[in-house]
Amino acid sequence: MEEKKNNNVQIGQQAPQTEEDINKLNEVRRGKLKELQEAGKDPFKITTFDQTYHTQQVKDSFDDLAAIEDEEGNVTREATIVSIAGRMMFKRVMGKASFANLKDRDGSIQIYVTRNDLGEEAYADFKHMDIGDIIGVKGFPFKTRTGEITVHAKELTLLSKSLTPLPEKFHGFTDPDMRYRQRYVDLIMNDDVKETFKKRSQIISGIRTFLADRDFMEVETPMLVSNAGGAAARPFNTHYNALDEDVKLRISLELYLKRLIIGGLERVFEIGRVFRNEGIDTRHNPEFTLMELYQAYTDYNGMMELTESMFRYLAEKVCGTTTIKYGENEIDLGKPFRRLTMNEAIKEATGIDFDTVATDEDAKALAASKHLEFEDRFKKGDIVNLFFDEFCEDTMIQPTFIMDHPIEISPLTKKKPDDPTKVERFELYINGWEMCNAYSELNDPIDQRERFAAQDALAAAGDEEANHTDEDFLHAMEIGMPPTGGIGYGIDRLCMLLTDSAAIRDVILFPTLKAVGKSNTTGHAEESPAEEVKTGFFTPNEKIDFSNVKIEEYFEDQVDFDTFSKSDFRAVKVKDCVAVPKSKKLLQFTLDDGTGKDRTILSGIHALYEPEELIGKTLIAITNLPPRPMMGIESCGMLLSAVNNLKDSEDEELHLLMVDNNIPAGAKLY
């Protein structure tokens, strides 16, 4: 691209709208690089730059760095020369003098560049630089007539050439999928994203400081394990070539940390990645950061005090206040946290007192009366947990400790001495989310073996999330484990809360995403044209065999034209999509149907889609059907799918009908 030569020209991000435009701009930039290399000015041969200040330091220390003049205009103190480096985000060329904006880790600052200071050749080189280039500047700070702190460049060095243009600043870098896939661009273009991850670092640092002050020792334990225990989750499987053994990625930190308590370390914690082979939605990522701690000679009451104190400490350190905002909610972490048993919470929400329910069958009857789906193997404790998930969890906006869970859902927890059907466990809920899980840890090896046996039976019955007997852990417990309290915190969800972030992907630098061009059914990737990724349209599914597609009998034989014409078919935009708890098939969609009010529809297509890949898509729904309760949720309408009956199987695939994203929400189909 030829540089415009008229004065007062602003050169900003040039917005390539097509693949052809992008290719042309890339060619121009590579041409500039070649010219520099031929002139012996290859920026990629530069190995270091003496960066003495960051931009915010220059602004904060301006009074100490700038020149001082007396009343007669005589300079009584020369300005300090500063050396800064960063990415050029803006350039305005005005003949013999120009302005630019340099952005570094801490912020940005204006740069004043003149031909007289740099010289003819260096100034010409500056004029040929592009937005996105990384430059080093040596000069002195001053204020312009408008009062803006600026660095007057005495030397300017191109340190790295940007060969691909940044997104257009006016429109921003807003597409969620592209932001997550190209986090490096997201951090450059969106200052609030950078601030979120700075706060994440402060949160983790704050946890370490808080626990160090309480005499905890940070440790590291194995990620590859033969028995992935400590939580109810399906693990990832892998293989040790050197040992020729199948192993799993850990789903929890618990069992190894307890071994260290047995070994006498007394207070230990670990912050590390764990891996759960489960769904992806706004609050779940298959790999996430967990903090677990264990303290000898205390119980879950001691853990409640520690948790409440830690959350209050982190809010003050990271947010500067114990009263925080999340979306529309104001959350007070300064007041004492509320404490309720799980049964008390259910009774408060539904009027049902499970302390008076005697049998598993009575509990199942209550679940059926509330239209809750459950499995035949469920016991009373499983039903209690189901009731809590359906009727209580979302209502707990202010910090609330939920205590005394059923023993059936807590295989590693000490029983309550006065009620052996419950355990000494609590979960902290804030903003309707589970924020942590804590226990008076089970230290009876005989009881622990019986609990493991019950979990083995569940696994044999098909429960993929059940724990398995860990003989080495049982041997450690037989050596003797002191009374112990333990907690597990999901760091990512805590970061969401303290940064007011809507999705877990917003607080994970590189979240899990389906590979571009990945097939839903075969697990193999195919070549995907670049234009499919870069347009605003949906990315088509890979090749699907529809040779067995047939018309549903109901529509084939019973629906006449008059009935069909009464159906209101509308385009709907997916605002959010999450997996329905306790269901392996259902996804819950929050849809924009053009009315201004969110519509909820449930669809049994989780086998083919993960929730995160559907957010932002445009689908087709029938919007005038009567509400239908499913898993305690009102489903208001039906999303349309193509049904593919699989060969040699009774199973079928449901492929959602996706349409051009340019079709507005609420558009009626005829």
Side-chain angles (χ1 to χ4, degrees):
M1 293 176 61
E2 290 297 322
E3 178 146 7
K4 297 180 181 180
K5 296 183 179 179
N6 53 310
N7 289 344
N8 204 27
V9 173
Q10 179 173 308
I11 303 175
Q13 284 86 344
Q14 304 300 314
Q17 298 298 321
T18 68
E19 192 71 19
E20 183 179 2
D21 290 338
I22 293 172
N23 289 336
K24 286 181 179 178
L25 288 175
N26 288 344
E27 288 176 11
V28 170
R29 293 194 175 206
R30 280 165 172 76
K32 290 182 178 181
L33 175 62
K34 185 178 180 181
E35 291 176 3
L36 288 169
Q37 292 170 332
E38 290 174 347
K41 301 176 182 179
D42 188 348
F44 296 123
K45 290 186 176 181
I46 297 174
T47 59
T48 186
F49 182 80
D50 184 21
Q51 182 187 34
T52 60
Y53 286 84
H54 284 91
T55 55
Q56 192 59 45
Q57 289 176 298
V58 174
K59 292 179 178 180
D60 292 342
S61 305
F62 177 78
D63 290 341
D64 297 326
L65 298 173
I68 296 178
E69 297 180 355
D70 60 21
E71 294 180 355
E72 298 178 354
N74 299 312
V75 175
T76 59
R77 187 187 72 185
E78 295 289 341
T80 301
I81 295 296
V82 299
S83 179
I84 58 176
R87 191 177 301 274
M88 186 165 63
M89 300 297 294
F90 171 85
K91 183 171 70 168
R92 187 170 71 246
V93 177
M94 300 184 300
K96 297 179 181 180
S98 301
F99 286 95
N101 181 278
L102 182 147
K103 185 175 185 179
D104 65 8
R105 180 196 67 188
D106 293 346
S108 62
I109 198 166
Q110 182 169 261
I111 307 298
Y112 178 59
V113 185
T114 70
R115 187 170 64 186
N116 288 341
D117 286 297
L118 297 190
E120 292 277 357
E121 183 178 345
Y123 188 67
D125 288 343
F126 164 76
K127 291 171 65 177
H128 280 82
M129 292 179 190
D130 292 303
I131 302 304
D133 287 351
I134 295 174
I135 60 175
V137 175
K138 292 184 179 181
F140 60 86
F142 75 103
K143 284 186 179 179
T144 63
R145 276 178 271 182
T146 60
E148 182 172 357
I149 295 175
T150 303
V151 173
H152 186 135
K154 304 298 286 184
E155 298 178 26
L156 192 148
T157 306
L158 177 63
L159 301 174
S160 181
K161 183 68 185 166
S162 173
L163 299 180
T164 296
L166 294 171
E168 183 190 9
K169 187 174 183 180
F170 178 77
H171 291 99
F173 190 57
T174 58
D175 179 76
D177 186 71
M178 293 301 290
R179 285 181 49 227
Y180 302 140
R181 292 184 189 279
Q182 298 181 15
R183 182 67 83 189
Y184 41 91
V185 180
D186 193 24
L187 291 167
I188 293 169
M189 300 303 297
N190 297 317
D191 290 339
D192 56 336
V193 173
K194 186 182 290 186
E195 287 305 308
T196 292
F197 287 104
K198 285 183 179 179
K199 285 187 176 180
R200 180 186 173 103
S201 179
Q202 292 170 6
I203 289 166
I204 294 173
S205 174
I207 291 172
R208 288 190 164 104
T209 300
F210 178 88
L211 292 177
D213 288 344
R214 292 203 173 202
D215 202 25
F216 278 82
M217 173 181 174
E218 185 171 8
V219 297
E220 295 174 300
T221 62
M223 286 190 179
L224 296 174
V225 296
S226 58
N227 188 349
R234 185 169 62 176
F236 288 92
N237 298 303
T238 186
H239 184 78
Y240 263 131
N241 287 333
L243 302 177
D244 193 23
E245 289 182 0
D246 291 333
V247 290
K248 299 174 175 64
L249 292 174
R250 65 185 180 187
I251 60 173
S252 171
L253 311 175
E254 180 168 350
L255 299 185
Y256 280 99
L257 292 178
K258 283 183 175 178
R259 287 171 168 90
L260 300 179
I261 292 293
I262 293 166
L265 296 186
E266 293 193 4
R267 298 189 183 198
V268 294
F269 78 98
E270 181 174 5
I271 298 174
R273 286 285 178 135
V274 296
F275 310 86
R276 299 182 182 179
N277 199 353
E278 298 173 340
I280 303 172
D281 59 35
T282 54
R283 280 187 278 164
H284 296 87
N285 197 66
E287 57 173 308
F288 61 97
T289 304
L290 185 64
M291 191 285 291
E292 287 195 36
L293 66 83
Y294 293 86
Q295 179 178 341
Y297 312 115
T298 189
D299 64 0
Y300 76 147
N301 291 300
M303 295 295 96
M304 271 188 265
E305 182 280 322
L306 185 148
T307 296
E308 187 168 337
S309 298
M310 179 186 286
F311 271 68
R312 194 167 291 132
Y313 169 83
L314 291 173
E316 290 175 338
K317 180 177 179 66
V318 176
C319 305
T321 175
T322 57
T323 302
I324 64 172
K325 290 277 290 183
Y326 188 91
E328 300 294 322
N329 297 320
E330 185 173 274
I331 298 168
D332 190 349
L333 298 171
K335 294 180 180 178
F337 293 4
R338 193 181 185 205
R339 301 186 181 193
L340 287 173
T341 69
M342 183 172 280
N343 283 356
E344 287 171 346
I346 294 170
K347 184 177 180 180
E348 192 175 277
T350 68
I352 296 172
D353 185 357
F354 273 96
D355 284 327
T356 65
V357 177
T359 67
D360 296 340
E361 295 308 314
D362 290 340
K364 290 179 181 178
L366 286 170
S369 72
K370 293 291 187 179
H371 308 290
L372 301 182
E373 292 187 12
F374 54 87
E375 299 180 34
D376 290 340
R377 63 179 177 81
F378 276 16
K379 298 183 181 298
K380 174 186 169 182
D382 299 301
I383 299 297
V384 169
N385 190 49
L386 186 60
F387 264 76
F388 179 80
D389 287 347
E390 291 293 331
F391 300 113
C392 305
E393 182 174 341
D394 292 342
T395 67
M396 296 181 177
I397 304 303
Q398 298 304 318
T400 305
F401 288 119
I402 296 298
M403 309 179 294
D404 302 350
H405 295 52
I407 192 171
E408 291 89 344
I409 62 170
S410 308
L412 298 170
T413 315
K414 186 173 285 191
K415 296 175 185 175
K416 289 184 69 66
D418 57 346
D419 185 353
T421 67
K422 301 186 183 74
V423 295
E424 292 193 346
R425 173 185 175 187
F426 74 79
E427 293 172 293
L428 172 62
Y429 285 88
I430 304 176
N431 194 50
W433 304 343
E434 176 200 333
M435 299 302 301
C436 74
N437 201 0
Y439 311 90
S440 294
E441 300 297 339
L442 181 63
N443 64 339
D444 179 346
I446 297 173
D447 189 355
Q448 180 65 79
R449 184 174 290 278
E450 292 172 354
R451 307 256 196 118
F452 273 143
Q455 289 286 303
D456 285 335
L458 291 176
D463 186 350
E464 295 179 330
E465 297 183 349
N467 281 251
H468 295 272
T469 298
D470 187 326
E471 289 293 346
D472 181 73
F473 178 65
L474 286 171
H475 179 259
M477 288 191 69
E478 289 170 353
I479 298 292
M481 175 176 166
T484 299
I487 313 175
Y489 297 156
I491 297 295
D492 308 300
R493 199 170 292 180
L494 175 58
C495 291
M496 288 175 63
L497 180 72
L498 295 182
T499 61
D500 194 10
S501 296
I504 195 170
R505 294 180 294 276
D506 294 329
V507 297
I508 297 176
L509 279 167
F510 300 101
T512 303
L513 300 168
K514 177 171 284 189
V516 175
K518 196 76 171 179
S519 167
N520 280 323
T521 56
T522 65
H524 299 292
E526 297 184 11
E527 291 297 321
S528 179
E531 56 267 26
E532 287 184 2
V533 181
K534 296 181 182 297
T535 66
F537 303 145
F538 69 92
T539 301
N541 285 321
E542 297 303 322
K543 297 176 182 178
I544 301 170
D545 178 10
F546 284 116
S547 60
N548 292 298
V549 170
K550 72 169 191 174
I551 302 297
E552 291 284 345
E553 292 181 2
Y554 177 83
F555 295 103
E556 187 176 49
D557 300 330
Q558 300 182 29
V559 178
D560 56 29
F561 181 79
D562 288 339
T563 304
F564 176 80
S565 65
K566 292 177 183 177
S567 296
D568 191 5
F569 296 92
R570 299 273 177 174
V572 291
K573 305 277 188 183
V574 182
K575 296 177 66 177
D576 195 13
C577 182
V578 297
V580 175
K582 309 301 179 184
S583 173
K584 295 182 179 179
K585 296 181 179 180
L586 290 174
L587 294 180
Q588 179 180 338
F589 291 82
T590 301
L591 302 165
D592 177 3
D593 62 3
T595 64
K597 184 178 179 181
D598 289 348
R599 175 182 294 271
T600 298
I601 295 181
L602 273 64
S603 183
I605 45 86
H606 199 177
L608 281 141
Y609 301 95
E610 291 299 338
E612 59 93 18
E613 67 181 294
L614 296 173
I615 296 172
K617 304 299 187 187
T618 303
L619 311 178
I620 302 299
I622 301 175
T623 58
N624 62 339
L625 296 174
R628 178 187 176 194
M630 302 169 70
M631 297 288 289
I633 303 168
E634 293 277 298
S635 181
C636 301
M638 182 174 74
L639 292 170
L640 298 190
S641 299
V643 180
N644 183 28
N645 294 300
L646 301 176
K647 293 179 180 179
D648 304 319
S649 173
E650 295 181 359
D651 295 332
E652 63 182 15
E653 295 176 335
L654 296 177
H655 293 275
L656 284 168
L657 299 187
M658 301 185 194
V659 296
D660 190 327
N661 277 344
N662 286 328
I663 298 174
K668 184 174 175 63
L669 275 69
Y670 292 93

